[in-house]
Structures are given as structure tokens and as C-alpha cells.
Amino acid sequence: MGILLVLIALILIVGLYKPNFVSIQSLANFGARAAWFGIIALGVVFLLSMGEIDLSTGSIYAFTINASAVLMVDWAVNPWVAGIAGVVIGVALGGINGILCNVLKIPVIIITLGTLSAYRGLTLVVSGGGFIYGLPREDSFFTVLGAAPYGVPMVIWVFAAMTVILGIVYRRTRYGFVVRAIGSNRRAAEMGGVPIARIRLITLMLTGGLCGLSGMLTLAFFSTADPNLGTGFELLAITAAIVGGTALTGGRGTVVGAALGSLVIAVIGSGIVQFGIAANWSVFVTGVMIIVAVSLDSLVRRRQGREA
């Protein structure tokens, strides 16, 4: 409720001074921007709840877009098949992260610090370092996934659906319970027979798949591919999850909160532009939001500890 009230207040404040900000078109625009990294943030909730951080999500997102575009343009693969391949590639890259972590016994943040650059480098190799044009925009892949039913871009509809589905998975399934249990007390979970390595692999594959899904929706929306897409998305996704109420230290999270956190970040970014402030300030604000959210979470945990 807190993050929802913050979101509403931000929209009203900006809309009070810039009435065009609350138009359907404007709301749809910043909603779409939020959805592109927000879909990734939904998976980040599961990882943070386990006490893990994935820094390669932005690179996976970019690689799936460019790999699918190459399949469509250079290999003349059916766009729907190439789109499915993009999601599968995302799952595979997330799986590689998981396998490396399990085999080398290294935390996810260390492995993904390397794959962040490795996957981005592969993106530059696949794309040739430039934009990929000539996509078959008349195909139903683009006309359906790039459409805007009732004036709302398809990516927002998918974002909302995934929020509901993953919210149920997180709160109502054994998998979601185990994820939270690992983050709450990894040693106890391990002694209780929880297959931590397997759950971590599954969670990284889930996050990679969400990167691929978001990538395909982005490709359909813009009908072109850019190797620089997704730069900084890993931090935006983490910020959205933390601002939404997911604990950086693990054990507690909220999928709906991550979705609302994504919208808050998008509203702040759009509001900065609306007031004529340089867009680069949004990066600064994002960093401040992380510090504030983590500080508040730490204060709440210390208070709960004293009360216990």
C-alpha cells in the first residue's frame, strides 16, 4: 500500500503542474517503459529473496533481442519461431549462470559480474555492433505483440498478467516458499533437505526467460534491434524490486511491489523530463532510491529485531 500511495502521489503531483502527463497516451508511454524492465524485476524478486543478485539481466535482454532479429533478417526464420527462440535463449543464458555458480561454488553476483560483459560482448558480435534493420514488420508477430489494444501497449498487458501469475507462484506454491526459506536461513534450509543448487538454477533460468520475454516484446514494439538496448536494466530491475519491498538481504519480497516499484521509477524519469530537467538526473535519482530503500529496510529489520 505504501508504494502504491507513493505512485499515485507522484502522478498527481506531476499531473498538477503538467496536465498532459495524465493523458492516456502519456500514461501508456511511461507504463511501457516501466514494463520493459519491470518484467525482469519480477524475476529479480525471486533471486533477491534467495539472497542472490544477478547483474547480467540487461545483457541477456539485449542478446535475445539481437539474436532473434538476426534469425529473422539473416536466416529468414519465421518471426514467431525466432521470438520463441529468443525466450529459450534467455532461459539458456540464465541456466549457464546457474551451472557456473553451482559448479564453481561462487555466488551469483560474482559470476554475473563476468557474464554481464560476456553476454554484452556476444550481443555486439551477433549484431555487428550496429542496428539491425529489415525486420518483417508486416508479420503478425509485430502487428500482435507490437499492438496497443484499447490504447494500452501489449507489453503492459503482458506485464500485468505476469505480475499476477508470478505473484501467485511466489506466495502460493512450494517453490515460492522454498525460495523465501533459503533467503531467510540458508543453513537451515540446507539441513532441511532443500536442494539449494537446483532452486538457484531454476530461479536464474526463470529470470533469464523473463529477460527474453521482455526482449521479444521490445523487438515487436520498435521493429528494430540495437546492441545497446538494456544498458542499466539490471540496476533498474533491482531497484524496482527493492523499492517495492523486497529485502536485499533475502527472505522477504513482493512481486506486486516490484511491479509498482517499476512504475514509480518510470514516473520519476518521465517527470524529470516533463519539468525540463536533464534526463541524466534520472540515473542519480535511481541511485538515491536504492540507498533510501535499503536504509529503510535496514531500519525496519533492526526495529523488528529489538521488538522480538
Side-chain angles (χ1 to χ4, degrees), residues 46 49-51 170 174-190 194 196 199 249-252:
F46 288 81
S49 295
M50 290 182 63
Y170 187 81
R174 183 180 183 278
Y175 167 67
F177 172 78
V178 169
V179 163
R180 299 195 302 277
I182 293 172
S184 296
N185 192 322
R186 182 177 294 264
R187 180 60 178 165
E190 188 175 19
V194 173
I196 295 178
I199 297 299
T249 50
R252 175 170 55 84

Side-chain angles (χ1 to χ4, degrees), residues 47 54 56-57 60 63-64 86-104 106 108 111-112 115 119 197-212:
L47 280 171
D54 186 346
S56 68
T57 52
I60 294 176
F63 184 77
T64 60
V87 177
V88 172
I89 289 171
V91 173
L93 295 180
I96 291 173
N97 287 340
I99 291 171
L100 290 173
C101 290
N102 292 338
V103 171
L104 300 176
I106 297 176
V108 173
I111 287 294
T112 56
T115 55
Y119 294 159
R198 187 174 70 188
I199 297 299
R200 180 167 52 196
L201 175 61
I202 292 172
T203 306
L204 284 166
M205 292 173 69
L206 169 65
T207 306
L210 290 171
C211 291

Side-chain angles (χ1 to χ4, degrees), residues 8-18 275:
I8 294 173
L10 285 172
I11 293 175
L12 292 177
I13 290 171
V14 178
L16 182 64
Y17 292 95
K18 303 289 182 179
F275 284 106

Side-chain angles (χ1 to χ4, degrees), residues 37 40-41 44 48 52-55 57 232-244 246 248 265 290:
F37 65 84
I40 300 173
V44 170
L48 288 179
E52 304 282 7
I53 297 176
D54 186 346
L55 298 177
T57 52
F233 268 24
E234 55 280 342
L235 292 182
L236 289 176
I238 293 171
T239 303
I242 294 173
V243 169
T246 298
L248 186 61
I265 293 172
I290 294 176

